[in-house]
C-alpha cells in the first residue's frame, strides 16, 4: 500500500464519502472493521443468553412477549452484523470459530449472571442504554454496510431500553421487596455497564486510528461520560441510588455545560472478564459451542440441498 493510496483513501474519509464493499481500502481498515463488526455480532448473539434465561419465568404474559421479542431482535442484529462483516471477505463460519476458540472477543457485559427478574429491567435500562449511546454514532460510520445496519439496530435498541426502564419503574414504585430487587440489580449492573465503553482513552489501542478512519466518532471516555450524564437523572426518577460514593455534579465539566464526576473504575475486573475469567465466560461459550454443534446437521442439509440444485441446473 503506497503512501499515495493511503492519502487518497483518507481524503475520501475526510470528505465523508461512504466506503462500500468493492471499493479499494487499506488492509488495516478492513481488518479493523472485521474485528469490530465481528465482535459486535458475537456480542448480540451471546447477549441473547443472559435474558433468554428469564423467558420461561417472566412474571406476566405481557412481560414474556416483550422479552421474547427483545431476545429475538438481538438474534436478528447478530445475523445482520455477520452479513455486514461478510461483505469484507470473512465468512460467518470463520467468525464463529474465532468466537468459540476465544480468539474473537465479545462484550464483557454478557459475562455477568442474571439471578433475579430485576436483572431484565437493569439490562434493558443500562446495558441497552449504553449500547445505544455507543451505536448511534456508528450510524455515521464510514463503512456503508455497517452504518446502514446500525440504523435499524438502534431503533430496536431504543425499544429494548424502554422495556427495561419500564420494568425498573414497576419494581422501584412497587412493594419494598420489589424496590430492593431493583436496587440490588442496579448495584450489580452499574459498574459493568460503565466498563462496556472499553478502556480509558489512554489505554485504548485502536481508538486513534479508528477515529481517523471515522469508524468511531467519539472516544470511549466521551461516550462513557455522555451515558453517565444521561442516566443519573433516570436513576433519580426511580428513587434508586447509583453505587458510586464519588459521584458528584461538576458544573465546570463538558465545557461549562456541567456533568458528573465519578469514581475509579476497577480495570482489573474488566480485563479479567475480557480475558475469560468472568463468572459466566465458560457457560456462555459452552452454550454457543452446543448451539453450533447441534446446528451442524442443518448446515450439512442446506449444503447438500444447494449441491443438488446446482447439479440439477448443470445437467
Ligand atoms: N468488552 C470486551 N472487550 C472490549 C470491551 C468490552 N466492553 N471494550 C474494549 N474491548 C477490547 C477491544 O476489543 C480491544 O481488543 P482487541 O484489539 O483485541 O479487539 C481492547 O479491548 C482495547 O479497546 P479499544 O482499543 O478501545 O477497542 P475499540 O476501539 O474496538 O473500542 C468498542 C471498543 C467501543 C467496544 C468498539 O469496538 C465498538 O464500538 N464496538 C461496536 C459496539 C459493540 O460491539 N457493542 C457490543 C455491546 S452492545 C450489545 O450487544 C447490546
Amino acid at each position: 500500500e503506497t503512501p499515495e493510496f493511503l492519502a487518497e483513501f483518507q481524503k475520501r474519509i475526510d470528505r465523508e464519502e461512504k466506503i462500500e464493499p468493492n471499493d479499494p481500502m487499506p488492509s488495516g481498515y478492513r481488518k479493523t472493521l472485521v474485528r469490530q463488526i465481528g465482535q459486535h455480532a458475537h456480542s448480540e448473539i451471546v447477549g441473547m443468553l443472559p435474558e433468554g434465561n428469564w423467558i420461561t419465568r417472566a412474571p406476566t404474559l405481557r412481560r414474556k412477549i416483550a422479552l421474547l421479542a427483545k431476545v429475538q431482535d438481538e438474534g436478528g442484529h447478530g445475523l445482520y452484523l455477520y452479513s455486514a462483516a461478510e461483505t469484507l471477505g470473512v465468512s460467518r463460519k470463520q467468525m464463529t470459530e474465532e468466537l468459540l476458540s476465544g480468539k474473537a472477543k465479545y462484550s464483557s457485559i454478557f459475562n455477568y449472571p442474571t439471578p433475579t427478574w430485576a436483572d431484565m429491567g437493569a439490562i434493558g435500562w443500562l446495558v441497552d442504554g449504553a449500547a445505544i449511546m455507543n451505536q448511534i454514532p456508528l450510524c455515521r460510520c464510514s463503512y456503508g454496510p455497517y452504518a446502514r445496519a446500525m440504523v435499524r439496530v438502534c431503533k430496536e435498541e431504543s425499544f429494548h431500553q424502554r422495556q427495561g426502564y419500564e420494568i425498573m419503574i414497576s419494581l422501584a414504585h412497587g412493594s419494598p421487596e420489589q424496590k430492593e430487587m431493583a436496587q440490588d440489580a442496579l448495584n450489580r449492573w452499574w459498574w459493568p455497564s460503565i466498563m462496556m465503553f472499553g478502556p480509558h482513552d489512554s489505554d485504548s489501542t485502536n481508538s486513534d486510528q479508528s477515529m481517523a478512519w471515522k469508524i468511531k466518532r467519539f472516544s470511549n471516555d466521551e461516550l462513557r461520560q455522555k451515558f453517565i450524564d444521561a442516566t443519573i437523572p433516570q436513576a433519580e426518577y426511580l428513587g434508586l441510588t447509583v453505587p458510586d460514593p464519588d459521584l458528584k455534579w461538576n458544573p465546570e465539566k463538558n465545557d461549562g455545560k456541567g456533568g458528573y464526576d465519578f469514581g475509579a473504575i476497577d480495570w482489573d475486573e474488566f480485563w479479567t472478564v475480557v480475558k475469560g475469567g468472568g463468572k459466566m465466560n465458560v457457560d456462555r461459550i459452552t452454550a454457543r459451542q452446543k448451539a453450533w454443534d447441534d446446528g451442524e446437521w442443518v448446515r450439512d442439509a442446506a449444503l447438500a440441498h444447494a449441491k443438488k440444485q446446482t447439479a440439477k441446473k448443470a445437467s
Side-chain angles (χ1 to χ4, degrees), residues 257-274:
K257 287 199 266 317
Y260 285 90
D261 287 332
F262 52 94
I265 295 170
D266 184 349
W267 293 114
D268 287 343
E269 175 181 325
F270 173 74
W271 290 115
T272 301
V273 174
V274 171

Side-chain angles (χ1 to χ4, degrees), residues 35-36 39-40 43-44 74 105-110 127-128 131 134-135 138 146 157 195-199 203-207 210 216 220 270-271 274:
R35 178 186 62 81
Q36 179 169 324
Q39 193 169 289
H40 194 166
S43 303
E44 298 282 356
E74 282 161 3
K105 295 188 169 76
Y106 60 91
S107 184
S108 50
I109 195 76
F110 301 117
V127 176
D128 291 283
N134 165 271
Q135 289 171 24
L138 290 175
Y146 192 25
E157 293 290 3
M195 292 176 197
M196 268 178 81
F197 294 93
D203 297 318
S204 167
T205 40
N206 302 295
S207 270
S210 289
K216 283 170 98 161
N220 299 357
F270 173 74
W271 290 115
V274 171

Side-chain angles (χ1 to χ4, degrees), residues 115-116 118-119 179-189 240:
T116 79
D119 293 330
K179 186 166 182 188
E180 207 175 295
M181 268 173 77
Q183 181 63 57
D184 165 64
L186 170 58
N187 292 348
R188 286 181 290 106
W189 289 96
L240 300 178

